[in-house]
Amino acid sequence: MMSHVVDFAHGLRANLMDHMAEFAASTELGFDRPSMRFPPTSWTSYCVERSTLGMGVHCPFDTDELVVASEPLFSAAECCAIKEEAATLIAEGRGSTFTMTDTNKDCAVHEMPRTLRWLNEGALARITSLAATCFPSAVSDPTQLWVYRGLVIKYDASAGLTHQPVHRDGALISCVVPLSERAEYAGGGTYIEQLGRALVLEQGQALLHPSSVRHSGHRITSGERWVLVLFLNSVAMPYGEHVRRFRARAQEAFAECQGLEEADAEMGDGAAEEVEDGQGEVDEADEADEGIDDVEDEELQCLHHALAVSGESDHEVWYDLGARAHELGDVAEALRCYERATALCPTDALLLGNMGVALLELSRPRDALRCYRRALAVDKYDINARFNAGELMLSTGRLRGLAAVLASAPEVTMRDEGMQMLAEELAKATQHQKKGAKKNKKRGKGKPS
């Protein structure tokens, strides 16, 4: 159970304590801080507006050149050695459960002794030196960076393990190093939402960016793609990092609330039986309801704390507030929050899809359909937005529109049960429409008198 945040100051202290605990855990996992600084290597930078990081005026990065692709930092032999050690562990069934394991496989670096030793003996210093050179306002000294988590991720097209969805990482700086040769797979790379495209690097290059840059593991269409991923934090936690930590606390509160509701439902059934027997076990049920209310207040409190630190600039916090209101049945408030979020980030497919649902519930089907289409323009693989758009067209008799939604769907999305149902309903409706047309043709329209 999470430690409850009483007020803003208490929350700040709790966030700093979590940061210190993660720092201590990094050492326990076997990660050493780098003790040297390498001379800068050459790199290419890409601009992403730092306002999109959601840290407001407290953003530790003072430039928009936030995505950096280095020249090769590591040799082919080094990359192959990491991949071979990870492949052995994955074959044994080892995994970190740290990523979306239904779309890729991974293993933790701290469970890879040879790779961990390689990092500690100088490889990490090459990465942190690059980070300090490229982001001097956030990293004044490369020896102050430490590894929060390290993973080796495997994407395998033949197994359907092709990608990761758009997300932010839970650290200060993220680093991705391709371990596979470029010829070993098609597609792939790191998709940067603000750039609207994927950056595909050669083996041994390093891609660095603030962890709060929204990105994804872009889909591969064939072959295998292996990458080393490191999440880096600094010894002193920048103030802007409180945004993500407050948001993480809100998510913990939400998970706790879900657990309490399930327990309350079970206890409620038992309490009803007790009342029938004259036992009157109502007090326990009342206490459970109060506990749920407390945790819901905790979630809302943390989100407002995050909003305050960010200067209301983090669209994901607005989205969370909208989702919470939506969950509680206040659709008008949910839509208000979603609109604030889309004003800050108009390319979040998940947000646009939920906004469409809210609009439909408020009897605005045209606007809802517009949101679903915007979501699909961002992510054609978004099954929820595609299904919702198709279902809306089916319910309003727009069969041509439904056919277009299904025809433009990637093959993998049509394996979804809901999408298959829509295809079946379209076939039935089209057949019914054809039969009606034949009957009208036989009867004739007649001549006006």
Side-chain angles (χ1 to χ4, degrees), residues 178-359:
L179 303 175
S180 307
E181 291 185 35
R182 185 65 190 86
E184 293 177 14
Y185 58 91
T190 300
Y191 177 84
I192 305 296
E193 185 178 67
Q194 262 255 311
L195 297 179
R197 66 187 181 99
L199 301 177
V200 186
L201 275 59
E202 298 293 337
Q203 182 185 52
Q205 290 184 271
L207 186 74
L208 269 66
H209 59 78
S211 298
S212 48
V213 167
R214 284 172 53 84
H215 63 285
S216 69
H218 201 52
R219 291 175 185 266
I220 62 171
T221 54
S222 65
E224 292 183 5
R225 177 177 179 246
W226 292 78
V227 294
L228 168 67
V229 182
L230 298 175
F231 305 112
L232 307 175
N233 279 331
S234 61
V235 174
M237 191 183 90
Y239 189 81
E241 284 280 271
H242 284 288
V243 178
R244 73 170 177 86
R245 290 193 177 274
F246 274 128
R247 185 167 176 255
R249 287 184 178 281
Q251 291 168 342
E252 290 174 14
F254 175 77
E256 184 178 340
C257 185
Q258 296 292 96
L260 287 173
E261 286 178 349
E262 292 173 6
D264 186 37
E266 293 177 5
M267 185 168 61
D269 293 339
E273 295 173 3
E274 296 277 354
V275 171
E276 289 178 5
D277 294 338
Q279 300 294 321
E281 296 290 336
V282 180
D283 290 343
E284 290 185 21
D286 289 342
E287 288 178 7
D289 288 340
E290 289 176 4
I292 292 172
D293 290 341
D294 288 343
V295 178
E296 285 181 343
D297 289 344
E298 174 100 1
E299 180 190 4
L300 184 60
Q301 186 183 48
C302 287
L303 289 175
H304 281 295
H305 290 340
L307 211 59
V309 176
S310 72
E312 302 190 353
S313 69
D314 189 344
H315 95 277
E316 290 192 353
V317 178
W318 282 111
Y319 169 79
D320 288 347
L321 286 166
R324 181 184 188 277
H326 213 159
E327 180 81 17
L328 297 176
D330 191 346
V331 184
E333 174 62 13
L335 180 59
R336 185 188 76 84
C337 294
Y338 292 154
E339 288 174 339
R340 289 294 300 268
T342 53
L344 294 167
C345 180
T347 56
D348 185 332
L350 178 62
L351 164 61
L352 291 167
N354 277 20
M355 188 172 171
V357 173
L359 286 163

Side-chain angles (χ1 to χ4, degrees), residues 135-200:
F135 309 126
S137 63
V139 185
S140 59
D141 182 351
T143 66
Q144 295 297 297
L145 288 176
W146 49 275
V147 178
Y148 166 58
R149 285 290 187 276
L151 302 170
V152 174
I153 300 176
K154 174 189 178 183
Y155 300 98
D156 182 357
S158 64
L161 305 171
T162 58
H163 68 289
Q164 283 198 63
V166 175
H167 63 283
R168 285 172 172 166
D169 296 325
L172 178 65
I173 295 172
S174 298
C175 173
V176 179
V177 178
L179 303 175
S180 307
E181 291 185 35
R182 185 65 190 86
E184 293 177 14
Y185 58 91
T190 300
Y191 177 84
I192 305 296
E193 185 178 67
Q194 262 255 311
L195 297 179
R197 66 187 181 99
L199 301 177
V200 186

Side-chain angles (χ1 to χ4, degrees), residues 295-431:
V295 178
E296 285 181 343
D297 289 344
E298 174 100 1
E299 180 190 4
L300 184 60
Q301 186 183 48
C302 287
L303 289 175
H304 281 295
H305 290 340
L307 211 59
V309 176
S310 72
E312 302 190 353
S313 69
D314 189 344
H315 95 277
E316 290 192 353
V317 178
W318 282 111
Y319 169 79
D320 288 347
L321 286 166
R324 181 184 188 277
H326 213 159
E327 180 81 17
L328 297 176
D330 191 346
V331 184
E333 174 62 13
L335 180 59
R336 185 188 76 84
C337 294
Y338 292 154
E339 288 174 339
R340 289 294 300 268
T342 53
L344 294 167
C345 180
T347 56
D348 185 332
L350 178 62
L351 164 61
L352 291 167
N354 277 20
M355 188 172 171
V357 173
L359 286 163
L360 188 59
E361 291 175 1
L362 292 170
S363 302
R364 295 170 59 181
R366 288 186 179 180
D367 292 332
L369 184 57
R370 193 173 294 116
C371 270
Y372 297 146
R373 283 174 167 163
R374 287 173 62 190
L376 291 174
V378 172
D379 181 7
K380 64 182 180 180
Y381 293 92
D382 189 329
I383 292 177
N384 288 335
R386 193 172 294 277
F387 176 82
N388 289 340
E391 189 177 47
L392 179 54
M393 288 181 176
L394 180 65
S395 67
T396 54
R398 299 174 61 178
L399 299 187
R400 288 185 180 179
L402 173 56
V405 167
L406 297 177
S408 62
E411 181 183 354
V412 66
T413 65
M414 290 307 298
R415 300 172 194 163
D416 177 74
E417 184 177 339
M419 297 303 299
Q420 291 177 5
M421 182 273 289
L422 284 179
E424 292 170 3
E425 292 298 322
L426 174 63
K428 291 177 186 177
T430 302
Q431 189 65 26

